[in-house]
Amino acid sequence: QITLKESGPTLVKPTQTLTLTCTFSGFSLSTSGVGVGWIRQPPGKALEWLALIYWNDDKRYSPSLKSRLTITKDTSKNQVVLTMTNMDPVDTATYYCAHTNYYDSSGHVDYWGQGTLVTVSS
Amino acid sequence: EIVLTQSPATLSLSPGERATLSCRASQSVSSYLAWYQQKPGQAPRLLIYDASNRATGIPARFSGSGSGTDFTLTISSLEPEDFAVYYCQQRSSWPQTFGPGTKVDIK
């Protein structure tokens, strides 16, 4: 079965860089149609797509955050890493790792990690 | 960026009643719309994709309809476990966007 799990710091200081790792199992990110990305949700608020990387290394970024985000994949380790620079308290949120597949659920998110709460505070 | 608007913001109903949730897009998303259910402290769960296709394991009481800019999620008879927040999401164009959510609570 497909599982995803986020890991990284739970507390970062303003201006620091956040690095989150998604470690997954049950699928390969070298399989055609597969993508893994990051979605966040501030406390009590709605969901926001941040970045998505596909099996062919094609990448998509939120336009409003593009200058601060980098997404990479390590297919051999079954990991996807997101870095976000210049963190601010408004970036406090639960960060989810997400799986998509064009051939199963038409590219919508069909599997989610449990989420990791990241707090930005000095 | 495509903006999704959901209505109502809150829907207060009793178990056994029918729930009708609406999602409207600021421009056409064809049928590339999904619905998710989220309970407190949990990740969202995919219910419907491509406007009307139930995801694996989703009960038949959940159904979706619509295309273009107007979409509906219907829960035919609410079960106690259905009280949650529901989000629509489009993948027609990047950035993929979510609606603000509709909370279905117990009347």
Side-chain angles (χ1 to χ4, degrees):
Chain A
Q1 77 280 20
I2 290 176
T3 64
L4 307 100
K5 187 170 184 179
E6 306 87 352
S7 59
T10 57
L11 179 66
V12 297
K13 290 180 167 45
T15 75
Q16 285 187 336
T17 294
L18 171 69
T19 299
L20 293 173
T21 300
C22 174
T23 303
F24 55 84
S25 63
F27 67 96
S28 171
L29 196 39
S30 60
T31 300
S32 178
V34 174
V36 174
W38 292 90
I39 295 167
R40 71 177 179 181
Q41 185 174 38
K45 297 188 177 181
L47 300 151
E48 178 187 22
W49 261 105
L50 300 178
L52 178 59
I53 188 166
Y54 292 102
W55 80 99
N56 58 2
D57 211 38
D58 189 19
K59 301 170 186 177
R60 296 285 184 268
Y61 293 103
S62 166
S64 62
L65 295 168
K66 185 174 183 177
S67 63
R68 298 173 52 203
L69 296 174
T70 302
I71 189 169
T72 59
K73 63 181 174 71
D74 186 330
T75 305
S76 64
K77 292 183 178 179
N78 283 351
Q79 290 182 333
V80 168
V81 176
L82 180 77
T83 60
M84 181 181 292
T85 61
N86 195 24
M87 294 291 285
D88 183 272
V90 299
D91 296 313
T92 294
T94 296
Y95 287 74
Y96 293 102
C97 181
H99 168 276
T100 72
N101 188 330
Y102 281 131
Y103 303 114
D104 282 344
S105 54
S106 189
H108 292 288
V109 179
D110 50 4
Y111 293 94
W112 299 70
Q114 64 189 23
T116 184
L117 175 62
V118 178
T119 302
V120 185
S121 175
S122 55
Chain B
E1 175 174 316
I2 296 175
V3 177
L4 299 179
T5 305
Q6 292 186 242
S7 62
T10 303
L11 194 53
S12 297
L13 295 169
S14 300
E17 288 193 295
R18 183 183 187 91
T20 303
L21 288 67
S22 175
C23 177
R24 176 164 289 178
S26 59
Q27 62 190 79
S28 177
V29 299
S30 185
S31 293
Y32 298 126
L33 189 108
W35 291 92
Y36 298 87
Q37 176 194 67
Q38 187 178 35
K39 297 179 181 179
Q42 296 184 15
R45 177 175 71 145
L46 178 65
L47 300 175
I48 302 288
Y49 66 93
D50 282 357
S52 61
N53 295 296
R54 270 191 304 277
T56 302
I58 301 304
R61 64 181 181 273
F62 291 92
S63 64
S65 64
S67 66
T69 60
D70 290 294
F71 300 86
T72 300
L73 174 70
T74 301
I75 310 171
S76 60
S77 178
L78 283 163
E79 296 288 338
E81 61 268 26
D82 298 338
F83 292 93
V85 179
Y86 293 83
Y87 294 97
C88 58
Q89 180 236 342
Q90 65 82 20
R91 71 155 199 88
S92 174
S93 66
W94 192 264
Q96 298 185 19
T97 49
F98 290 87
T102 289
K103 183 178 183 180
V104 178
D105 65 16
I106 300 176
K107 187 174 181 180

